[in-house]
């Protein structure tokens, strides 16, 4: 197994072998179990038994059996549970008090209030929000997901993804730059949202009615063989979706406007892959004794984790800013800590977990194609098995690593990698870059303790 003159295998701190020539050292990737938390490591060992393994097989099979279909694009108030009455707005990540919300989320909430006509100026909109005049809740609590700030308002159109009687929802992607999901809320942003409400949503819904539903699993699987990873690079998926819908879109009034918008927005299919991933992961919620992660989400202040065996309970910890590339004139000091529900794609096994499929994405988030291969191989160490539909050509068509296992994360010390955009920390500025962030260790330590409590009841 070892050939070519290796003289030292080192496990642990590199400083131990700092006197040995680098070419003579192989540094093994070993870390203390449970990030050095002895009590949590013991709980992980106790839970690593046949009961857990059987539960995880059931949970992963349920996730992989879901075949999401895009069936409609409808106003959120008509389809998203709990959004049809009163002044309610949803946001990304675990729930958070308005006083603690970050700049981009506050900016997006202001824009949504202006869109709904609940206030006439940004100042009045912020005053209404801070006075409790708007009910705020997490998208995940309503079967929905939203990228970055993830703010969803009643009149916004949503993608409706369905498998049997189960549904999930996501907002429509606005494109890059100064957009609501990055916290911008000026007149250009609100005018674009009105066009999406009045033109884009109805035209897409009409096209789906005329042409039938879209198989999202098939679309994402094909895009992974064309250079997408399903999160930060959705160019192929957007092209495939546009090609599928184009004949029926062209027959709708103002269809040409919609085709032009799709042609200029390489990220449009991101929100579709998010809704499909949400529907898939929800199939495992509540599987008794399963240690499978069912959701990862960020609100710009906290990272939230959900696990199958503990139902809809959130485990939260402070979230870091992403490490990546910034637009000219901006740097890490300008960046808001990470936010968005888009990590639901990594939870399923695409995005950062499928980096091997998308060498071009390394130019967008920093790194090299070799880094992309290493990232996917590393994620295989913390997942329960390959996704049967999502094949990666660069790894001999192996399935993308799917189904994060809390126990494997604790055992290896390897944290989930998430591809993400970077929002300016101040409300109203928008996107300033893109990069990569890791889930915090603290949420996995909380999860293993809760899973053990459930087992011993």
């Amino acid at each position: 197994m070892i050939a070519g003159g290796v003289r030292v295998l080192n496990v642990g701190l590199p400083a131990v072998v700092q006197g040995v020539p680098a070419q003579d050292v192989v540094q093994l990737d070993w870390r203390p179990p449970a990030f050095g938390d002895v009590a949590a490591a013991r709980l992980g060992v106790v839970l690593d038994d046949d009961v857990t393994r059987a539960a995880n097989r059931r949970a992963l099979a349920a996730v992989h059996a879901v075949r999401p279909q895009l069936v409609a694009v409808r106003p959120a108030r008509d389809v998203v549970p709990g959004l049809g009455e009163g002044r309610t707005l949803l946001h990304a990540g675990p729930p958070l008090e308005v006083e603690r919300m970050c700049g981009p989320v506050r900016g997006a909430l202001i824009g949504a209030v202006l869109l709904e006509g609940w206030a006439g100026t940004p100042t009045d909109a912020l005053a209404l929000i801070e006075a409790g005049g708007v009910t705020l809740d997490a998208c995940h609590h309503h079967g929905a997901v939203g990228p970055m700030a993830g703010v969803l308002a009643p009149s916004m159109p949503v993608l409706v993804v369905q498998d049997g009687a189960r549904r999930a929802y996501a907002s429509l992607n606005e494109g890059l730059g100064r957009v609501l999901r990055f916290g911008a809320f000026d007149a250009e942003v609100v005018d674009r949202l009105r066009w999406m409400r009045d033109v884009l949503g109805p035209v897409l819904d009409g096209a789906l009615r005329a042409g039938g539903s879209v198989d999202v699993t098939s679309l994402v699987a094909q895009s992974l063989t064309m250079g997408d990873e399903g999160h930060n690079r959705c160019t192929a998926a957007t092209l495939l979706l546009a090609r599928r819908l184009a004949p029926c879109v062209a027959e709708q009034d103002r269809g040409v406007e919609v085709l032009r918008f799709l042609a200029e927005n390489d990220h449009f299919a991101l929100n579709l892959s998010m809704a499909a991933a949400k529907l898939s992961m929800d199939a495992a919620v509540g599987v008794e004794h399963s240690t499978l992660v069912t959701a990862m989400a960020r609100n710009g202040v906290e990272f939230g984790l959900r696990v199958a065996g503990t139902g809809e309970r959130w485990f939260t910890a402070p979230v870091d800013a992403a490490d990546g590339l910034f637009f000219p004139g901006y740097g890490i000091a300008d960046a808001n800590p990470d936010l968005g529900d888009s990590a639901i794609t990594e939870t399923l096994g695409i995005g950062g977990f499928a980096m091997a499929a998308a060498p071009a994405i390394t130019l967008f988030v920093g790194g090299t194609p070799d880094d992309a291969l290493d990232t996917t191989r590393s994620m295989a160490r913390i997942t329960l098995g390959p996704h049967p539909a999502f094949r990666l050509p660069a790894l001999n068509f192996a399935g993308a690593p799917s189904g994060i296992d809390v126990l494997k994360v604790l055992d290896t010390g390897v944290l989930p990698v998430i591809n993400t955009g970077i929002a300016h920390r101040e409300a109203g500025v928008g996107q300033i870059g893109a990069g990569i962030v890791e889930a915090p260790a603290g949420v996995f330590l909380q999860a293993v303790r809760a899973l053990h409590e459930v087992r011993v009841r």
Side-chain angles (χ1 to χ4, degrees), residues 257-344:
E257 293 178 45
V258 169
L259 291 174
R260 186 175 294 115
F261 177 82
L262 294 177
E264 296 173 350
N265 183 359
D266 286 343
H267 287 74
F268 188 78
L270 164 61
N271 299 34
L272 180 58
S273 66
M274 288 175 57
K278 167 69 174 170
L279 191 70
S280 298
M281 298 314 305
D282 276 359
V285 173
V287 173
E288 191 176 24
H289 303 313
S290 172
T291 56
L292 172 74
V293 173
T294 56
M296 298 189 294
R298 308 85 82 201
N299 55 32
V301 177
E302 294 178 334
F303 184 101
L305 184 85
R306 281 177 159 181
V307 181
T310 52
E312 297 182 345
R313 177 176 173 181
W314 288 104
F315 306 102
T316 62
V319 65
D320 293 328
D323 179 20
L325 298 178
F326 289 88
F327 299 161
Y330 297 106
I332 188 66
D334 303 305
N336 195 82
D338 195 33
L339 70 163
D341 290 332
S342 56
I344 193 68

Side-chain angles (χ1 to χ4, degrees), residues 219-220 223 226 228 233-242 266 269-270:
L219 186 143
V220 173
S223 73
M226 298 167 64
D228 280 1
R233 193 175 196 278
C234 300
T235 306
T238 299
L239 289 171
L240 292 169
L241 180 64
D266 286 343
L270 164 61

Side-chain angles (χ1 to χ4, degrees), residues 64-77:
H64 289 171
V66 177
R67 291 301 295 257
Q69 306 286 319
L70 173 63
V71 297
V73 178
R74 302 299 305 282
R77 71 163 72 87

Side-chain angles (χ1 to χ4, degrees), residues 44 46-59 288-292 384 405 407 451 455:
V46 169
L47 290 173
D48 188 12
D49 60 8
D50 289 343
V51 173
T52 298
R53 286 188 280 274
N56 283 341
R57 285 193 294 272
R58 292 195 301 274
E288 191 176 24
H289 303 313
S290 172
T291 56
L292 172 74
L384 292 168
D405 180 8
L407 301 186
L451 287 161
R455 179 69 74 86

Side-chain angles (χ1 to χ4, degrees), residues 105-125:
V105 172
R106 294 167 78 87
L109 291 172
I110 291 170
V113 168
L114 296 175
L115 174 68
E116 297 302 310
W118 297 337
T121 68
T123 300
D124 290 345

Side-chain angles (χ1 to χ4, degrees), residues 147-434:
M148 300 308 291
V151 169
L152 187 60
S155 69
M156 291 181 179
V158 293
L159 301 161
V160 182
V161 174
Q162 181 173 306
D163 183 30
R166 299 176 52 251
R167 283 185 164 188
Y169 313 93
S171 56
L172 303 187
N173 192 285
E174 312 156 73
L176 295 178
R178 292 184 59 77
V179 290
L180 190 82
R181 71 179 186 277
F182 284 98
F185 55 83
D186 59 23
E188 177 185 352
V189 173
V190 177
D191 285 346
R192 185 189 303 114
L193 293 172
R194 292 187 177 117
W195 178 82
M196 293 172 70
R197 177 193 64 193
D198 299 336
V199 179
L200 180 61
V203 167
L204 292 178
D205 190 60
L208 288 166
R209 290 173 186 269
S213 60
V214 176
D215 186 329
V216 185
T217 301
S218 176
L219 186 143
V220 173
Q222 190 173 353
S223 73
L224 292 178
T225 68
M226 298 167 64
D228 280 1
E229 42 73 86
H231 188 166
N232 263 358
R233 193 175 196 278
C234 300
T235 306
T238 299
L239 289 171
L240 292 169
L241 180 64
R243 185 182 70 170
R244 168 71 171 76
L245 296 176
C248 295
V249 168
E251 294 175 349
Q252 309 289 313
D253 290 341
R254 306 184 71 174
V256 173
E257 293 178 45
V258 169
L259 291 174
R260 186 175 294 115
F261 177 82
L262 294 177
E264 296 173 350
N265 183 359
D266 286 343
H267 287 74
F268 188 78
L270 164 61
N271 299 34
L272 180 58
S273 66
M274 288 175 57
K278 167 69 174 170
L279 191 70
S280 298
M281 298 314 305
D282 276 359
V285 173
V287 173
E288 191 176 24
H289 303 313
S290 172
T291 56
L292 172 74
V293 173
T294 56
M296 298 189 294
R298 308 85 82 201
N299 55 32
V301 177
E302 294 178 334
F303 184 101
L305 184 85
R306 281 177 159 181
V307 181
T310 52
E312 297 182 345
R313 177 176 173 181
W314 288 104
F315 306 102
T316 62
V319 65
D320 293 328
D323 179 20
L325 298 178
F326 289 88
F327 299 161
Y330 297 106
I332 188 66
D334 303 305
N336 195 82
D338 195 33
L339 70 163
D341 290 332
S342 56
I344 193 68
T345 58
E346 278 81 6
T347 313
L348 175 61
I350 52 178
F353 284 53
M355 288 279 277
I361 194 63
T362 58
L363 296 175
F364 191 54
V365 299
T368 68
D370 285 343
D371 294 334
L373 291 171
D374 290 343
T375 298
T376 295
R377 292 187 180 112
S378 180
M379 295 302 98
R381 298 176 62 192
I382 60 172
T383 46
L384 292 168
H387 196 289
F390 299 153
R391 304 287 181 170
L392 307 178
L395 293 177
N396 295 322
F397 290 96
S402 180
I404 302 165
D405 180 8
V406 170
L407 301 186
K408 290 180 182 291
V409 171
L410 294 181
D411 183 50
T412 62
V414 175
L415 291 165
V417 170
I418 300 165
N419 291 347
T420 188
I422 303 174
H424 197 285
R425 62 174 60 249
E426 296 178 3
V429 177
Q431 184 178 10
I432 60 172

